[in-house]
Amino acid sequence: EKHIIIARAALIALAVYIIQHTLLPSGTFKETMRDTDLEIMFVPVYLQAHFLLKTIFCGIYVIFYQYNIVRVIILTAINIALLGLNNSMKPCSVSWVNHLRDAFFVHATLSGIQSLNYLAWPANLSTKEMVVSTLLSNIVFSSAGMLLY
């Protein structure tokens, strides 16, 4: 029960931080994107959507901690949404950073898909079916990724 209270407090603090960061940014993207003295800046709209999805991700992880199937399905869907968001907006002005972030989200999504394969098969069943489904999902997901890029 203390874990849930701490998780709720953390999510509230994160929500307040996101609202403050959104309403009172230190500099807008257009003003700072060509300043070489600043670190890599992201588009504010992207940051809002990204951190909102990350907040939902954290909440789902805590709320459905005991329900593995539900948790993994929703978290994999959120990773797919984050991948799509990063891929469609290309938020960073440095192209290799966008590619690196895409790679991280692809790996996170593939990890979720593999977790679903692991959870779908009973522990007492032969691993042959799990290996086949894992291989098939890798081929399908990799093919879809190749079509996108």
Side-chain angles (χ1 to χ4, degrees):
E1 186 167 312
K2 286 184 180 183
H3 178 71
I4 293 174
I5 293 170
I6 292 171
R8 285 180 184 159
L11 287 174
I12 290 170
L14 187 59
V16 169
Y17 171 75
I18 290 171
I19 291 169
Q20 180 184 7
H21 182 70
T22 302
L23 297 178
L24 303 169
S26 59
T28 62
F29 180 71
K30 290 182 180 179
E31 294 171 350
T32 59
M33 71 182 279
R34 290 188 174 86
D35 190 351
T36 56
D37 295 333
L38 295 175
E39 58 188 58
I40 297 170
M41 299 296 288
F42 290 98
V43 181
V45 174
Y46 171 80
L47 289 175
Q48 293 170 8
H50 178 82
F51 283 120
L52 179 66
L53 286 171
K54 287 284 186 159
T55 303
I56 294 169
F57 186 98
C58 294
I60 294 298
Y61 187 85
V62 171
I63 291 169
F64 294 105
Y65 188 75
Q66 298 294 328
Y67 307 102
N68 290 331
I69 297 276
V70 175
R71 179 175 43 119
V72 171
I73 289 171
I74 295 172
L75 296 183
T76 303
I78 290 173
N79 275 326
I80 291 171
L82 286 168
L83 173 63
L85 181 70
N86 193 68
N87 194 18
S88 66
M89 290 189 75
K90 307 267 188 246
C92 186
S93 56
V94 181
S95 63
W96 69 265
V97 173
N98 292 325
H99 292 301
L100 183 65
R101 292 176 61 83
D102 280 343
F104 288 151
F105 290 130
V106 164
H107 283 83
T109 302
L110 190 56
S111 295
I113 291 170
Q114 297 311 318
S115 297
L116 287 172
N117 277 322
Y118 178 75
L119 292 171
W121 296 102
N124 59 0
L125 194 63
S126 171
T127 58
K128 178 181 177 184
E129 289 85 3
M130 186 173 69
V131 169
V132 170
S133 69
T134 300
L135 181 62
L136 184 62
S137 63
N138 277 332
I139 291 170
V140 169
F141 184 73
S142 299
S143 300
M146 293 301 285
L147 287 175
L148 287 174
Y149 290 99

